[in-house]
Amino acid sequence: CNSNAASREAPTASFVESNFPDWIQAERPVLRYQVDVARSRIWVLTPDGVALYEASTGEEVAHILLPEWVWVGGKYACSPDLALGPDGEAVISSNIVPTLWRIDPVTLAASKHEPVLDEDNGRDIGFTGLAYSAQQRAYFAVSGVHGSMWRIDPSFRRAQGIPLSEPLLKACGLAMRPRAADQRASRFVGLCVRADAGDWSVNLAPDQRSGYVRPEQCAS
């Protein structure tokens, strides 16, 4: 087993905010969270930034403010999302603009990034689902308002729209779908999208330039 490769694969996204560990005394409402098992960390997105906890003790070790972070509450859109990158960094979206914030896993410094969208430049597109794929070495994102899916390079310079067989309206979470043993040789990329009205499975073509959407329950 290659321990270095294993440590660089981001954990699966957490969909259910109410499942935040009750033994951690969070002082702020929880929008999203991610557990970094390899580094014994829990990253928690709150209305005013990101709280970082030591997973073994539940102690809050830092609260990081995001420069110029903008988002709207649940009455208008699903929450912004938080994903873990290949080196343990936390990446946070806005649900109203296509901007990302990265928190360095060592210094805990937050930086703002504005990837260039290859389409829809005249529209405000926020990301309500965000996940990193170690296999594709890229982030994938969904916009619940426009029902669109995007591929974002790991340097956050460009966001490429992915045409879908149907829109993912009101998408509120995104995760890479684990491959079954009999599918490991497949070149297709599988994602699972969660929404209030029901979940979707998205199979992306090998070149990741198109995707087929079908109803399918996401794993908890």
Side-chain angles (χ1 to χ4, degrees), residues 7 20 108 117 121 144 215:
S7 67
F20 182 69
L108 303 184
L117 276 59
N121 282 313

Side-chain angles (χ1 to χ4, degrees), residues 51-76:
L52 177 61
Y53 292 85
E54 165 56 48
S56 62
T57 63
E59 178 185 359
E60 182 176 337
V61 296
H63 189 266
I64 303 105
L65 299 178
L66 305 174
E68 301 177 342
W69 185 44
V70 292
W71 64 285
V72 295
K75 180 180 178 181
Y76 305 98

Side-chain angles (χ1 to χ4, degrees), residues 5-154:
S7 67
R8 290 178 63 83
E9 185 169 350
T12 300
S14 299
F15 283 122
V16 184
E17 293 84 351
S18 61
N19 284 348
F20 182 69
D22 56 9
W23 50 269
I24 290 182
Q25 300 300 314
E27 297 181 357
R28 308 166 188 88
V30 175
L31 300 178
R32 307 274 187 155
Y33 75 95
Q34 288 283 2
V35 179
D36 186 342
V37 176
R39 300 168 183 82
S40 188
R41 286 176 159 182
I42 301 178
W43 297 88
V44 180
L45 183 61
T46 76
D48 60 352
V50 177
L52 177 61
Y53 292 85
E54 165 56 48
S56 62
T57 63
E59 178 185 359
E60 182 176 337
V61 296
H63 189 266
I64 303 105
L65 299 178
L66 305 174
E68 301 177 342
W69 185 44
V70 292
W71 64 285
V72 295
K75 180 180 178 181
Y76 305 98
C78 295
S79 298
D81 206 358
L82 181 153
L84 294 185
D87 296 312
E89 63 268 45
V91 180
I92 299 92
S93 69
S94 164
N95 57 2
I96 55 174
V97 293
T99 304
L100 299 171
W101 287 260
R102 178 188 184 274
I103 300 177
D104 186 275
V106 178
T107 66
L108 303 184
S111 55
K112 179 182 176 182
H113 304 267
E114 298 178 322
V116 176
L117 276 59
D118 66 351
E119 58 182 69
D120 295 315
N121 282 313
R123 295 157 63 185
D124 290 331
I125 294 179
F127 300 133
T128 52
L130 185 66
Y132 178 77
S133 169
Q135 182 181 3
Q136 280 69 44
R137 298 181 181 179
Y139 290 87
F140 291 93
V142 291
S143 168
V145 174
H146 300 288
S148 54
M149 177 169 281
W150 302 81
R151 184 187 190 277
I152 305 171
D153 72 89

Side-chain angles (χ1 to χ4, degrees), residues 177-188 214:
R177 195 172 66 242
R179 292 187 177 188
D182 58 353
Q183 296 177 327
R184 295 198 182 277
S186 173
R187 294 183 300 159
F188 288 88
R214 70 175 188 273

Side-chain angles (χ1 to χ4, degrees), residues 144-181:
V145 174
H146 300 288
S148 54
M149 177 169 281
W150 302 81
R151 184 187 190 277
I152 305 171
D153 72 89
S155 62
F156 310 122
R157 294 176 181 173
R158 181 187 177 196
Q160 176 185 4
I162 302 174
L164 301 172
S165 60
E166 62 179 282
L168 301 166
L169 296 175
K170 298 184 179 180
C172 289
L174 180 67
M176 305 307 300
R177 195 172 66 242
R179 292 187 177 188

